[in-house]
Amino acid sequence: MDLNLYRFVSHWQLNAPPADVFGILEALETYPAWWPEIRLVEVIAPDSTRITARSLLPYDLAFVTRKSRRDVDALVMEATMTGDLEGFSRW
């Protein structure tokens, strides 16, 4: 049993066209302006970003995301994460 395995799932309902939401989610550098838990976003390469996040727990999580999939037709993005969070995200 792996005690360090976590799964975070959230579902957001938005009153906006999916293509507009895709564009906003793709712009990681804007996350701190609208997502309070995202404290810092640093673009380190065209497809890589260092993110620092903090939630209710009193410590930061720093990780690097690397784009692994961008499908505009399907409105799907994926990124791998390394650092304090290891895994992937899918939008």
Side-chain angles (χ1 to χ4, degrees):
M1 173 189 234
D2 187 349
L3 297 178
N4 295 314
L5 179 64
Y6 300 94
R7 182 177 298 228
F8 301 100
V9 177
S10 62
H11 299 274
W12 299 356
Q13 298 293 323
L14 304 172
N15 187 17
D20 291 351
V21 174
F22 184 90
I24 291 168
L25 291 175
E26 188 171 40
L28 274 72
E29 64 278 2
T30 68
Y31 281 24
W34 57 268
W35 193 343
E37 290 80 16
I38 303 298
R39 303 297 174 99
L40 180 64
V41 174
E42 303 168 90
V43 177
I44 55 177
D47 286 340
S48 298
T49 307
R50 182 176 295 113
I51 296 176
T52 302
R54 178 181 282 196
S55 186
L56 295 175
L57 299 176
Y59 56 86
D60 291 342
L61 297 175
F63 53 96
V64 173
T65 65
R66 288 183 180 79
K67 291 180 186 178
S68 57
R69 179 179 176 195
R70 180 181 183 273
D71 186 336
V72 178
D73 295 329
L75 298 173
V76 174
M77 291 179 289
E78 293 181 0
T80 60
M81 297 183 300
T82 57
D84 291 336
L85 295 177
E86 301 275 335
F88 73 97
S89 62
R90 180 178 298 127
W91 301 97

